[in-house]
Amino acid sequence: MPAKVRVRFAPSPTGHLHVGGARTALFNWLYARHHGGAFILRIEDTDRSRSTEENLGAILDAMRWLELDWDEGPPAAGYRQTERFDLYREHAQRLVAAGRAYYCACSPEQLDAERKAAEARKETFRYSGRCRDLGLTTGALRLRIPDEGTTVVDDMIHGPVTFDHRQLDDWILVRSDGTPTYNFCVVVDDVTMGISHVIRGNDHLSNTPKQVLCYEALDYPVPAFAHVSMILGADRARLSKRHGATSVQAYREAGILPEALVNYLARLGWSSGDQEIFSRAELIERFDIKDVSSSGAIFDQTKLEWLNHEYIKTLDGARLAAAVTPFVTAAGLTPPADARRFVGMLDTLRERGKTLAELVEVGRFYFERPREYDPRAAAKLFTPEGRERLGALRERLARAEPFTAPALEALYRATADAMTVKLGDIAQLTRLAVTGRTASPPIFDVLALLGREETLARLDAARESIR
RNA sequence: GGCCCCAUCGUCUAGAGGCCCAGGACACGGCCCUCUCAAGGCUGAAACACGGGUUCGAAUCCCGUUGGGGCCA
């Protein structure tokens, strides 16, 4: 029987949740949910100078927004590295006692000189191991690495990766000031938390043999590893701020739906046949770490927006309304009090905006009267003749019964015939008068949603503007 | 610099020796639909980095080159 699956995501609260981190978290989460295991959240906050509570809060918030719920982790105690120093100290002592680690008193200057000398000889610098058998009791604690042989990391994505011990240093576990190093904390944490599978970014692959040797020195079973490729910018360099938005929060603020971001991130480097859209349940069912690609993937915002649009098009009306409301408010507008009317408006908008923010932009006229009319269209349509037509339309609309889209369309078609003009002529004229623009949802839907009173008021205002 | 990882359309990918003169999706072009804009339907252009092997046969296996990325400094 395979051991119970326990995976973890370990962000540093030195910034917001990066989309690359979010994808790593997602893969861990999916792996846990697929196998009925546990997903653990651990906070790597040993870098006290750059870690803040605000960042931690923002990360937890982003995780919750993505609905990546954790089975263990904050706010429970013991899931922050700053709360675990006793554990690191204890394990360091064990290694010393077992003779697997030793103190090194070499000064930085000495090491530096050796490094320069090695460079001068065109050799790779590697710590000499001078202090190995001195039996020192202070200084930096180093792990004793075998001189010969290799360590093979059997990666679930990359397969076996061999590292020659001659390339590895006796690396430092604890600095001379007593603080444990990152790689050592990670090993101790993963071991003490019973992590079975370490799914993390590709940037950690090179450090893995050092960690494996540390597990072995500690006489602990080595977990399985899966190194996921990194997310790249358009220039194939690691995705960073200079490429634009990188944080989950930024996408949230841009009006991306969490299910769309999850779907996009899952599909970035992972696939299941030709399928593009996956519900969360399908993702959990289909996800297999073995299907994750070993090559880096460029973050394509255009495709994210396409996916977001797909979700916007199919989202339940009430949920869409709830999701859009903060964006309406943020634009300084107010959604209609009548929830059904609001949903009706959104139904005409959802095909026309790829993000929640765009929905508001494209449907702005629903929430406020046009402040101005498209100048080019106005020059063409708001003529004395246009004014007259608007007047005729106004009279008919005042009597239209019922004031519904199909009825209004019939009315307009009859009117066009009576005026011997094309439907488009009076439809565009009306659109400009009511929305101020030349593009909008079907104009009859718009009029019906706005209601008779508002429609007539806007037609009057438009006629007023024609002088 | 040393070590490690990676390499299919512009992008995300399918492909685990013959099903592939390479399939899907985004983006892009055309046509249709149409009160505008969208959405939708149909359709087009677009890739196995290069060079050697192995094999009857290679996008798929091996070696090298080139290019990109990462880690250690």
Side-chain angles (χ1 to χ4, degrees):
Chain A
M1 274 307 275
K4 186 158 162 58
V5 167
R6 285 175 64 81
V7 297
R8 49 64 163 185
F9 173 57
S12 293
T14 53
H16 288 161
L17 182 60
H18 188 274
V19 287
R23 189 177 63 143
T24 304
L26 174 62
F27 286 173
N28 274 284
W29 184 86
L30 287 172
Y31 194 77
R33 294 294 169 260
H34 179 88
H35 289 98
F39 175 60
I40 295 148
L41 184 64
R42 178 172 79 222
I43 307 304
E44 306 207 324
D45 57 349
T46 46
D47 184 350
R48 284 184 152 126
S49 58
R50 294 194 303 143
S51 299
T52 68
E53 286 305 304
E54 287 84 346
N55 285 332
L56 176 58
I59 289 171
L60 299 186
D61 202 42
M63 294 282 291
R64 288 190 203 101
W65 182 67
L66 292 170
E67 294 185 55
L68 263 24
D69 56 309
W70 52 98
D71 304 301
E72 295 174 30
Y79 290 91
R80 291 177 178 227
Q81 289 186 327
T82 45
E83 299 169 331
R84 303 169 65 83
F85 279 107
D86 288 348
L87 245 23
Y88 308 138
R89 223 179 331 262
E90 192 183 299
H91 281 79
Q93 285 315 313
R94 272 185 48 193
L95 287 169
V96 173
R100 307 301 297 262
Y102 60 91
Y103 286 100
C104 164
C106 296
S107 66
E109 293 74 28
Q110 240 173 311
L111 263 13
D112 224 45
E114 285 182 28
R115 180 175 304 120
K116 291 221 171 78
E119 271 169 26
R121 278 176 280 131
K122 299 218 178 210
E123 284 172 19
T124 317
F125 170 71
R126 192 169 161 271
Y127 174 64
S128 66
R130 183 184 320 113
C131 301
R132 270 190 178 185
D133 302 306
L134 266 35
L136 301 172
T137 53
T138 56
L141 189 67
R142 288 183 184 270
L143 183 71
R144 195 185 291 269
I145 296 244
D147 291 317
E148 308 269 293
T150 58
T151 286
V152 178
V153 176
D154 195 8
D155 192 273
M156 291 192 283
I157 291 170
H158 295 282
V161 182
T162 305
F163 295 87
D164 195 320
H165 290 167
R166 280 170 298 211
Q167 295 295 333
L168 270 25
D169 270 288
D170 281 356
W171 59 288
I172 294 175
L173 306 171
V174 183
R175 298 180 190 91
S176 51
D177 67 2
T179 58
T181 59
Y182 169 80
N183 282 300
F184 184 54
C185 293
V186 168
V187 169
V188 173
D189 286 337
D190 285 340
V191 138
T192 52
M193 288 180 177
I195 300 304
S196 62
H197 298 72
V198 174
I199 302 170
R200 75 220 311 191
N202 209 216
D203 46 341
H204 291 107
L205 182 54
S206 299
N207 286 325
T208 308
K210 297 204 297 192
Q211 295 185 353
V212 167
L213 259 4
C214 189
Y215 279 99
E216 289 172 349
L218 248 10
D219 205 26
Y220 279 123
V222 179
F225 290 99
H227 288 92
V228 177
S229 70
M230 329 207 61
I231 296 185
L232 281 19
D235 58 359
R236 297 221 147 255
R238 180 206 214 121
L239 186 69
S240 68
K241 289 240 173 65
R242 70 193 169 80
H243 295 107
T246 56
S247 73
V248 168
Q249 186 178 313
Y251 287 98
R252 179 182 186 174
E253 283 164 6
I256 297 293
L257 260 5
E259 45 269 68
L261 187 54
V262 162
N263 194 151
Y264 177 74
L265 256 15
R267 265 298 276 105
L268 194 62
W270 173 82
S271 62
S272 178
D274 284 342
Q275 191 169 337
E276 295 286 348
I277 297 176
F278 296 85
S279 68
R280 194 165 282 248
E282 282 176 312
L283 244 25
I284 291 171
E285 191 195 320
R286 306 276 200 79
F287 184 78
D288 190 336
I289 199 78
K290 289 173 192 65
D291 295 329
V292 173
S293 165
S294 49
S295 55
I298 293 173
F299 192 89
D300 183 357
Q301 186 157 335
T302 308
K303 187 156 183 181
L304 201 212
E305 288 182 359
W306 167 77
L307 248 179
N308 199 51
H309 197 193
E310 292 300 306
Y311 278 89
I312 284 179
K313 282 190 287 187
T314 54
L315 197 63
D316 167 77
R319 285 200 50 211
L320 182 60
V324 171
T325 299
F327 289 85
V328 176
T329 326
L333 303 167
T334 314
D338 179 353
R340 283 185 52 197
R341 222 155 63 86
F342 188 27
V343 170
M345 291 170 176
L346 292 175
D347 281 338
T348 72
L349 259 21
R350 63 207 308 169
E351 282 165 9
R352 284 162 245 270
K354 291 179 164 58
T355 65
L356 300 175
E358 271 181 36
L359 247 35
V360 174
E361 202 33 60
V362 102
R364 204 180 177 88
F365 61 87
Y366 276 133
F367 315 114
E368 68 172 1
R369 290 189 181 167
R371 293 154 179 268
E372 56 191 1
Y373 301 99
D374 180 271
R376 281 187 55 189
K380 197 173 138 210
L381 298 172
F382 282 2
T383 57
E385 188 187 32
R387 188 169 192 276
E388 217 169 284
R389 287 177 183 174
L390 247 17
L393 253 9
R394 195 221 122 90
E395 289 318 305
R396 293 180 184 235
L397 286 169
R399 295 187 315 261
E401 205 57 59
F403 206 80
T404 62
L408 293 173
E409 177 163 0
L411 181 149
Y412 265 70
R413 288 191 187 278
T415 306
D417 281 349
M419 289 178 169
T420 61
V421 297
K422 282 187 285 197
L423 175 62
D425 294 334
I426 50 177
Q428 250 342 51
L429 179 63
T430 307
R431 187 178 333 269
L432 184 65
V434 170
T435 72
R437 304 177 189 180
T438 57
S440 84
I443 192 62
F444 311 117
D445 289 322
V446 171
L447 300 188
L449 252 4
L450 249 21
R452 190 197 311 270
E453 194 186 332
E454 181 64 18
T455 296
L456 297 184
R458 290 190 186 192
L459 290 184
D460 289 339
R463 284 199 299 153
E464 277 299 300
S465 81
I466 304 172
R467 285 293 168 209

